[in-house]
Amino acid sequence: MPSSSPRGYTSFPSSADLFYFCTTSSTSEDDLNIHYAPPSKSSLKVGVLIFGNDQIQMMDLAVVDLLAKIGRNGLSRLNAPAAAQDEAVDELDIRYVNESGEGSFAITSGARMPVTNSFGDAPQFDILVIPGSFSASELPVSATTFLTTQSSNPDLTAIFCVSSGILRLAQSGILYQKRATGPPSLIRTLRQRYPNTIWQNMPWTRHDYLWSSTSAISALDMVAGWMREYFWDRQEALRYSLTAAGIAPLDDDDE
């Protein structure tokens, strides 16, 4: 039986932790090792990375549309209730980035999307999305430098690898000793080429800010998991945006 997808929540304390919490006389947050999630940002920059000249599957970009739904424009277009619109993210600045910063890129439906930035002039992003590719070409130096620089900045909240997009991130070296997954057809190759990454047979998985999925479909569940965790303080906006996208609620969402 396949492994179930992880839930995007902080794990419950262990039995040993609970015993310590109940028996220690200290109320210090440091002693109790209590960490509070910070409030979500009211403005987010999202970078969609395009490598080479291959077509991008339109389905791989669905996660970008899902993220956009919790923005003020997205919830307004959905005619969301006032309570949800009050909690909307004020701005979601979505950029499409490639090596040259020029022209457009093809998607599988036959349409084209304009590129907005190059790896050299792109801003620091809060979120990076790496869609899948039909090619396993080598990552250019400029792309590796861009990924390394972005990843080392504490403002980066998440990198989402959709399906075969994990090939690009693996080439950058960022996945060293990190958990990751990818399309079943590529897992054996990935394990051989990158043995120092912990490859998992799961629909999606995460290691800290690194999120990866086996397909465009499981990527929607993956990003929904991140949204539930990150937008903990925007419950009405979160609930409405996920429902509008057809994401099945967790049991917790119905409470």
Side-chain angles (χ1 to χ4, degrees), residues 95-116:
R95 312 282 187 96
Y96 294 89
V97 187
N98 70 3
E99 188 169 19
S100 70
E102 300 175 346
S104 60
F105 63 94
I107 52 180
T108 50
S109 64
R112 299 190 70 86
M113 295 281 288
V115 172
T116 60

Side-chain angles (χ1 to χ4, degrees), residues 72 75-89 236-237:
R72 192 163 302 283
L75 287 173
S76 176
R77 285 195 295 268
L78 292 169
N79 294 315
Q85 293 199 42
D86 288 344
E87 294 180 352
V89 176
E236 292 299 324

Side-chain angles (χ1 to χ4, degrees), residues 28-253:
S28 164
E29 292 181 6
D30 291 335
D31 289 343
L32 293 174
N33 196 29
I34 294 174
H35 302 284
Y36 297 101
S40 57
K41 293 182 179 180
S42 61
S43 177
L44 292 170
K45 287 184 172 63
V46 180
V48 183
L49 307 188
I50 309 300
F51 302 103
N53 298 313
D54 284 342
Q55 285 184 320
I56 301 298
Q57 292 191 82
M58 178 173 274
M59 288 182 65
D60 285 11
L61 299 178
V63 296
V64 182
D65 195 53
L66 178 58
L67 288 168
K69 286 189 184 303
I70 202 168
R72 192 163 302 283
N73 290 337
L75 287 173
S76 176
R77 285 195 295 268
L78 292 169
N79 294 315
Q85 293 199 42
D86 288 344
E87 294 180 352
V89 176
D90 291 330
E91 181 185 25
L92 275 158
D93 181 5
I94 300 172
R95 312 282 187 96
Y96 294 89
V97 187
N98 70 3
E99 188 169 19
S100 70
E102 300 175 346
S104 60
F105 63 94
I107 52 180
T108 50
S109 64
R112 299 190 70 86
M113 295 281 288
V115 172
T116 60
N117 292 88
S118 71
F119 296 134
D121 66 17
Q124 174 61 46
F125 291 107
D126 299 290
I127 299 168
L128 294 178
V129 177
I130 305 179
S133 170
F134 294 102
S135 171
S137 58
E138 289 300 311
L139 206 61
V141 173
S142 60
T144 300
T145 301
F146 172 82
L147 284 168
T148 302
T149 302
Q150 291 275 326
S151 298
S152 64
N153 193 304
D155 287 339
L156 184 70
T157 302
I159 297 179
F160 297 127
C161 283
V162 182
S163 188
S164 59
I166 196 67
L167 278 168
R168 304 302 193 178
L169 198 60
Q171 289 181 51
S172 72
I174 292 172
L175 292 179
Y176 181 76
Q177 295 187 341
K178 301 291 195 301
R179 292 183 299 276
T181 191
S185 59
L186 293 178
I187 281 290
R188 179 178 295 181
T189 299
L190 288 166
R191 284 185 173 134
Q192 291 172 347
R193 289 186 62 184
Y194 306 102
N196 291 316
T197 296
I198 307 164
W199 297 105
Q200 298 186 320
N201 292 313
M202 303 182 73
W204 63 269
T205 191
R206 70 175 294 189
H207 192 123
D208 195 15
Y209 66 95
L210 302 171
W211 302 66
S212 53
S213 68
T214 58
S215 70
I217 302 300
S218 59
L220 289 170
D221 286 335
M222 173 183 73
V223 173
W226 175 84
M227 291 174 71
R228 290 185 178 105
E229 179 179 292
Y230 184 75
F231 295 117
W232 63 270
D233 54 347
R234 302 176 190 267
Q235 286 299 306
E236 292 299 324
L238 173 66
R239 187 177 297 110
Y240 197 88
S241 60
L242 292 183
T243 299
I247 303 293
L250 299 175
D251 292 341
D252 298 17
D253 295 339

